[in-house]
Each structure stands twice: as structure tokens, then as C-alpha cells.
Amino acid sequence: MAIDIQTLKTRSITAVVFVLVMLAGLFINEWGFVALFTIIMFGCLYEFSKIIKKINIRKYFFFVPLAFFYIIMPLMMMIDLGINGSAPDHQLSKNASAYSPLFPCAIIFSIWINDTMAYVVGSFIGKTPFSKISPKKTWEGTIGGAVLCVAVIGLLGYFIPALKIIAVRHWIIIAAICAVFGTLGDLLESKLKRMANIKDSGSFMPGHGGFLDRFDSLLVATPFVWCYIKLFL
């Protein structure tokens, strides 16, 4: 499968804008962080509502509770990882904020690296279809994306002093969780779109689709990363 240069260019430009907005929300302060993920939450809920109505409007109220587990709970967990920070309580002064973008960034960057590398590897050497749900995905791209995701995050955890707050093995495990469950999240959203007979969940990001198209991996990966951090860190 050859790389579509025009598609790659559009996706790249949009991705740059997306990354700048995400970084602003993550690093300015905790209020910007909460505002960012609140907007993401409402955007995802709006698109999810539209998809469910297209699938079968008579079952709409049956599917609505799924929005809590699929969208609200994961994004609240993401907010919790930021607001509660990563520093032990004894390291904080009485009036200091516990906010830290460390773990949210780890999840977001892991998913971004996994998605990007899976696309690149799959474009060059992808031949074996990964799933009927998403025909463009290949085993080569999926495995390549996951391996490179774990490798890059592991190297960053080893060489960047600020990340040495936890052992490298934890960064590797977090990256692996994001790669595996992020891919499952992408397949889940693809299945929903197929059931609704639509190509994209929305159009707010040219080349990337809507909120759910952009954050589908994060929605499924975040709860598992949250559980790992709470249980083992």
C-alpha cells in the first residue's frame, strides 16, 4: 500500500494544530487542562449520540448509559491523573498544586506514536489484513506501531531526567497498554461507524474526522492505564 502524499500532508498540517492545542491545554495550568478535556468530553458525547441514533433510534435510550463507561468515565480518569499529579504528597508544600501533565502526556504521546508508526509501517510493508472491521489496518502496521511505541517511550523514560520519577519498566508497560488497548479502541469506534454506515464520526479535524475519530484510542486505553498507575505506582 503506497502512501497517499496529499492525505499525509493534510493529516500532518491538522496534526500540528491539534498538537499545539493539546500542549497548550496540558501545560498552561490545571484549569486549561480541565477545560480541554471537558470540551473533548462534550464533543465525544455529541458525536456518540448522533452515531447511536443512526444505528437504531428505537434503542437510543438503551445505549445512552454506555456513554458513561465509554466516554465520561475514561475522560474523568484522565482528568484525575492530571489533577492528582504524580508527586508524592510529602513533596508538595501546603498550598502547592498537585497538577501534573506527566501521565496524561504519557498516554497521549504513546497513542500518537502508536497510531503514526502503525500508519507509516503499514503503508510501506502492510500486506496482511488485521480485521474486517477496519480493512486498512494490517498486522505488520499494528505490530510495528506497538513495537516502536514501546521502544520510543522506553528510551524517553531512560534518557529524560524528568521521567525518572518512575522506573523505565513502568513507562514501557504504560506504552504497551496504550498500544494494545488503543488499537482496540480504534476498532470499537470503527465498528460503531460501520453499524451507523458513516465514514467519520465528525469533521472538526480535516483528515482526522471528529472527536471520536481522534480520541477513540484514548477512551479505551485510559481506564487500563489509570488502573495500572493506581495499583502499581
Side-chain angles (χ1 to χ4, degrees):
M1 181 175 66
I3 291 180
D4 186 329
I5 300 300
Q6 185 57 45
T7 298
L8 182 60
K9 181 179 179 181
T10 300
R11 286 174 62 90
S12 298
I13 293 173
T14 305
V16 170
V17 176
F18 169 75
V19 168
L20 291 176
V21 172
M22 290 295 294
L23 290 177
L26 287 166
F27 289 103
I28 290 178
N29 55 41
E30 60 189 287
W31 300 109
F33 173 74
V34 172
L36 172 66
F37 282 95
T38 300
I39 291 170
I40 292 171
M41 183 185 299
F42 280 106
C44 289
L45 286 171
Y46 173 72
E47 292 178 358
F48 183 70
S49 174
K50 289 176 62 179
I51 289 174
I52 295 306
K53 285 181 179 180
K54 286 180 178 291
I55 293 174
N56 192 330
I57 194 168
R58 290 175 298 176
K59 295 182 179 180
Y60 177 68
F61 288 105
F62 172 75
F63 281 102
V64 165
L66 293 179
F68 174 77
F69 296 100
Y70 180 42
I71 297 172
I72 297 174
M73 184 182 73
L75 292 176
M76 291 302 293
M77 287 176 167
M78 175 65 80
I79 291 174
D80 175 67
L81 289 175
I83 294 301
N84 288 324
S86 58
D89 290 339
H90 68 270
Q91 292 183 5
L92 297 172
S93 64
K94 196 170 187 179
N95 297 319
S97 170
Y99 172 68
S100 169
L102 186 64
F103 289 129
C105 283
I107 296 172
I108 293 167
F109 292 164
S110 293
I111 290 173
W112 182 79
I113 293 169
N114 181 62
D115 288 348
T116 303
M117 292 300 102
Y119 175 76
V120 172
V121 174
S123 296
F124 280 108
I125 64 172
K127 294 180 179 180
T128 311
F130 179 74
S131 171
K132 292 181 179 180
I133 297 174
S134 185
K136 292 183 179 181
K137 283 188 179 297
T138 64
W139 275 105
E140 293 85 355
T142 301
I143 294 172
V147 170
L148 290 170
C149 170
V150 171
V152 171
I153 296 299
L155 288 171
L156 291 176
Y158 182 80
F159 286 108
I160 297 180
L163 300 184
K164 294 183 183 293
I165 189 172
I166 64 173
V168 175
R169 68 178 183 277
H170 292 304
W171 291 123
I172 291 174
I173 293 172
I174 288 172
I177 292 172
C178 289
V180 172
F181 289 99
T183 299
L184 293 178
D186 184 62
L187 291 176
L188 173 59
E189 200 240 355
S190 294
K191 179 64 174 179
L192 289 173
K193 290 190 294 185
R194 275 180 168 266
M195 293 171 67
N197 195 30
I198 58 175
K199 181 181 179 181
D200 296 319
S201 66
S203 58
F204 91 105
M205 286 186 66
H208 292 271
F211 282 90
L212 283 176
D213 294 316
R214 185 65 274 172
F215 298 103
D216 52 0
S217 297
L218 181 144
L219 293 175
V220 175
T222 296
F224 292 94
V225 175
W226 185 89
C227 288
Y228 179 79
I229 290 172
K230 297 298 181 180
L231 290 173
F232 299 104
L233 296 180

